[in-house]
Amino acid sequence: MNGTPADPRSLTRRSMNFGQGCPGLPAHACRIEAEAGGFLAAIRGHFEQLREELIADLPHDAESEEVRALQALHWPSQEELLRLDERLLARLLSTYLIQEVLDTLLPHRVEALIAPAYAIDSVSTLQISPATLRIEGIAYALAV
């Protein structure tokens, strides 16, 4: 948080009005890093479901740049996509699955958080490589 390491047990995802900010409250820059292998294994089911939904919706969603790119790559698995195009995988995760991504990384209920606690409100950057997942965004302090 703001360049200082924070205990992961102090972070959660804002459950309502995600991305809408909190006027009047100070915003805190946050960065989350995780080992990519474990994260990808944990989110694999969400990615596979998304891929199937995008295939089914293709007649209606063919204008999406991400969908066209996936189709051009012949609808690769998550692991294949990481190998073929890390940036496309990052765009898919941040565009279609950001709440699932945060819930996978931060499965904490507000009641279980330790102080000082923060709720992530928005994500500005998501990067993934074979080794690391990095997310940058804005969080707001919670009263716990």
Side-chain angles (χ1 to χ4, degrees):
M1 299 302 301
N2 296 322
T4 304
D7 189 312
R9 296 172 298 165
S10 69
L11 300 172
T12 191
R13 171 181 65 84
R14 187 171 178 193
S15 58
M16 296 183 64
N17 302 321
F18 185 81
Q20 294 185 10
C22 293
L25 293 178
H28 300 275
C30 65
R31 184 171 80 193
I32 301 168
E33 291 187 9
E35 184 271 319
F39 164 76
L40 289 171
I43 203 156
R44 181 176 294 119
H46 292 292
F47 181 86
E48 295 303 321
Q49 180 179 350
L50 171 65
R51 188 177 67 167
E52 294 305 315
E53 289 173 5
L54 292 175
I55 291 170
D57 290 345
L58 187 59
H60 312 289
D61 201 19
E63 295 304 312
S64 163
E65 179 182 333
E66 291 85 8
V67 171
R68 288 194 315 267
L70 278 176
Q71 187 178 24
L73 292 171
H74 306 288
W75 304 100
S77 69
Q78 177 179 264
E79 293 77 13
E80 293 170 323
L81 187 54
L82 178 62
R83 186 176 43 79
L84 294 169
D85 192 339
E86 294 172 6
R87 291 196 298 192
L88 176 57
L89 177 57
R91 283 197 328 263
L92 287 165
L93 293 174
S94 64
T95 301
Y96 294 96
L97 295 175
I98 194 59
Q99 293 191 17
E100 291 84 351
V101 165
L102 292 173
D103 287 346
T104 298
L105 294 170
L106 309 168
H108 313 297
R109 295 185 333 264
V110 171
E111 308 82 49
L113 294 176
I114 63 169
Y118 299 89
I120 296 175
D121 175 71
S122 61
V123 171
S124 57
T125 303
L126 187 151
Q127 299 171 324
I128 192 160
S129 71
T132 306
L133 169 75
R134 179 176 293 121
I135 295 175
E136 295 178 359
I138 298 295
Y140 292 94
L142 296 173
V144 291

